[in-house]
Amino acid sequence: MNVVKQKFCQNPWTWMEINPAGECYPCGCSGWLPYSIGNLLENTLEEIWNSERAQRVRQSILNGSFKYCNSEWCHYIVADILPTSYAPFNKAPGLIIDDLPTNYKFSNDESCNLKCPTCRIGKISFTQGPEYEKRKKINDALTSRLFAQPTDRNFSIHVTGAGDAFGSKIYREMLYNIDGTKFPNLEIILMTNGVMFTPKIWDKIEKIHNNLGHCLISIDAATKDTYENKTRLGGHWDRLLSNLDFLNEKQKAFPKMLIDYVYVVQQANYKEIVKFAELILERFDMANEICFVAVNDWGHWSKKEYTYAAVHNPTHPEHKEFLKILADPIFDNPIIDITTLAPYRRK
């Protein structure tokens, strides 16, 4: 029987992710649900949200097939944490939705200040030219709809699922220009490597301080050598820690801002996962969550390269050593989330 047959996922009724081509996906991650329901360069947000393709996805959740989902990548399916009820709905929701999505993931610009091997082959940065204009056009189409008029509607924007919230000129300028006082129930989730999240940048986003929710800082190392030479090419370890010390103190003045520290586990860094957990627990007393996830292949690696990186794979020559490290009791700490690694720890 389908492992998710008796489960429910609310994402196709609440989420939309937009990629660099303008394609829209009814999920918090297009890798989890790689089925476009429309293109923002061709149709309006309203047309896309209730398109025939969107309805097909919703039907697949209601009938339990989940046939458009990637069951090997989706964290909820892998960790087996999908609910069995229609929460937060009172009954099975319909295929047509009157309201627009409540969660938007901006993945239309891959620009980043780093060139991490898990994500890309080289540095990607769009600041001018046709590719920049295309990505900005997509961004403008979305923001002009979301921020045209002040509203007390509850909604969130997640910036970004493709590059860095501050490494992107498009996102950086967008965040500078949002006036959070006009959108009191807007929550902004930032996904960043933290290197550019400096005190200066903090001052420039003053108008959205009270709108900041989760800030996911992706680090992938516990030492300067691993960070700068293996997992975060172009990064600056000392500057990162200084920024994180600053943000840890700011959390005390802005308690709605919750910082999650993210670590993508791979062959290059798995021996440091315990040290990373210790570092965060000891240095950042306001840490909300420490999240460890297994490395994914986003299409830029050769099969041989990904096979070597995927130490979580049982066929990897270092998999047994990885399991021994994962058995450390530190991972029982309630603020540590091992998501896609949970099945391996149960071994």
Side-chain angles (χ1 to χ4, degrees):
M1 186 177 71
N2 190 319
V3 294
V4 292
K5 186 71 175 177
Q6 306 301 321
K7 302 290 187 176
F8 177 74
C9 179
Q10 64 174 309
N11 282 2
W13 284 265
T14 58
W15 274 90
M16 182 179 285
E17 179 176 14
I18 303 90
N19 79 1
E23 300 293 341
C24 301
Y25 302 85
C27 184
C29 178
S30 58
W32 299 354
L33 202 164
Y35 183 76
S36 171
I37 59 173
N39 192 296
L40 205 56
L41 293 174
E42 301 169 0
N43 299 101
T44 66
L45 188 59
E46 287 81 358
E47 290 169 339
I48 295 169
W49 189 229
N50 282 315
S51 66
E52 289 186 13
R53 293 174 70 88
Q55 293 179 57
R56 287 178 207 156
V57 174
R58 292 169 193 142
Q59 184 60 53
S60 76
I61 304 299
L62 295 178
N63 66 27
S65 70
F66 284 67
K67 68 178 182 179
Y68 299 103
C69 303
N70 186 333
S71 60
E72 294 182 358
W73 277 26
C74 173
H75 290 185
Y76 298 108
I77 295 176
V78 172
D80 192 22
I81 55 176
L82 284 171
T84 55
S85 70
Y86 295 118
F89 308 103
N90 294 323
K91 59 181 180 179
L95 302 183
I96 299 291
I97 308 172
D98 294 332
D99 295 327
L100 288 174
T102 51
N103 306 292
Y104 300 84
K105 192 171 189 178
F106 286 67
S107 298
N108 48 292
D109 184 17
E110 318 95 305
S111 296
C112 185
N113 51 307
L114 304 185
K115 48 182 180 179
C116 309
T118 54
C119 181
R120 57 199 64 202
I121 296 175
K123 189 172 182 179
I124 300 174
S125 179
F126 299 103
T127 58
Q128 60 182 349
E131 290 301 318
Y132 167 80
E133 294 299 334
K134 178 182 178 181
R135 285 157 176 77
K136 190 174 187 305
K137 184 177 180 180
I138 296 168
N139 213 74
D140 290 345
L142 190 55
T143 56
S144 63
R145 181 63 182 83
L146 296 180
F147 302 113
Q149 298 293 334
T151 178
D152 61 358
R153 178 175 181 254
N154 287 284
F155 69 106
S156 70
I157 63 171
H158 299 237
V159 189
T160 165
D164 186 84
F166 302 110
S168 160
K169 177 183 177 182
I170 292 173
Y171 296 145
R172 197 166 60 241
E173 293 179 349
M174 176 183 72
L175 293 170
Y176 292 167
N177 292 323
I178 296 174
D179 185 349
T181 62
K182 296 179 180 179
F183 307 95
N185 295 316
L186 163 67
E187 181 182 19
I188 299 175
I189 288 81
L190 299 177
M191 304 178 73
T192 173
N193 55 59
V195 175
M196 290 184 65
F197 203 170
T198 62
K200 182 178 179 180
I201 290 287
W202 173 262
D203 290 340
K204 287 191 173 184
I205 60 171
E206 180 182 8
K207 291 186 292 186
I208 58 170
H209 283 172
N210 289 313
N211 299 93
L212 294 178
H214 285 265
C215 295
L216 289 78
I217 313 290
S218 183
I219 301 176
D220 300 1
T223 64
K224 183 181 179 74
D225 177 59
T226 298
Y227 183 85
E228 296 185 355
N229 299 312
K230 297 178 182 179
T231 62
R232 283 288 185 247
L233 304 184
H236 302 274
W237 179 251
D238 296 331
R239 183 189 306 167
L240 170 70
L241 292 181
S242 177
N243 291 346
L244 297 182
D245 287 336
F246 172 81
L247 293 171
N248 185 72
E249 290 305 307
K250 287 300 177 183
Q251 283 181 271
K252 297 170 184 178
F254 297 91
K256 288 195 299 183
M257 182 177 74
L258 305 174
I259 295 186
D260 300 337
Y261 299 87
V262 183
Y263 196 106
V264 178
V265 180
Q266 55 201 282
Q267 190 281 334
N269 67 8
Y270 79 93
K271 294 181 180 180
E272 294 182 11
I273 59 176
V274 172
K275 188 171 184 177
F276 179 76
E278 293 173 340
L279 170 68
I280 303 304
L281 291 171
E282 294 171 6
R283 184 160 183 155
F284 307 113
D285 61 323
M286 295 295 291
N288 178 65
E289 185 174 88
I290 306 170
C291 183
F292 292 92
V293 296
V295 65
N296 281 328
D297 179 9
W298 296 104
H300 63 289
W301 270 335
S302 67
K303 183 177 180 180
K304 181 179 180 180
E305 288 171 326
Y306 176 67
T307 299
Y308 180 72
V311 71
H312 64 281
N313 192 316
T315 61
H316 195 284
E318 297 175 55
H319 182 69
K320 289 185 178 180
E321 185 175 357
F322 161 69
L323 291 182
K324 290 179 182 179
I325 296 173
L326 195 59
D328 193 288
I330 197 170
F331 296 106
D332 292 323
N333 189 298
I335 77 164
I336 294 181
D337 180 3
I338 56 173
T339 55
T340 54
L341 300 179
Y344 305 105
R345 189 155 197 263
R346 285 195 290 268
K347 290 183 180 182

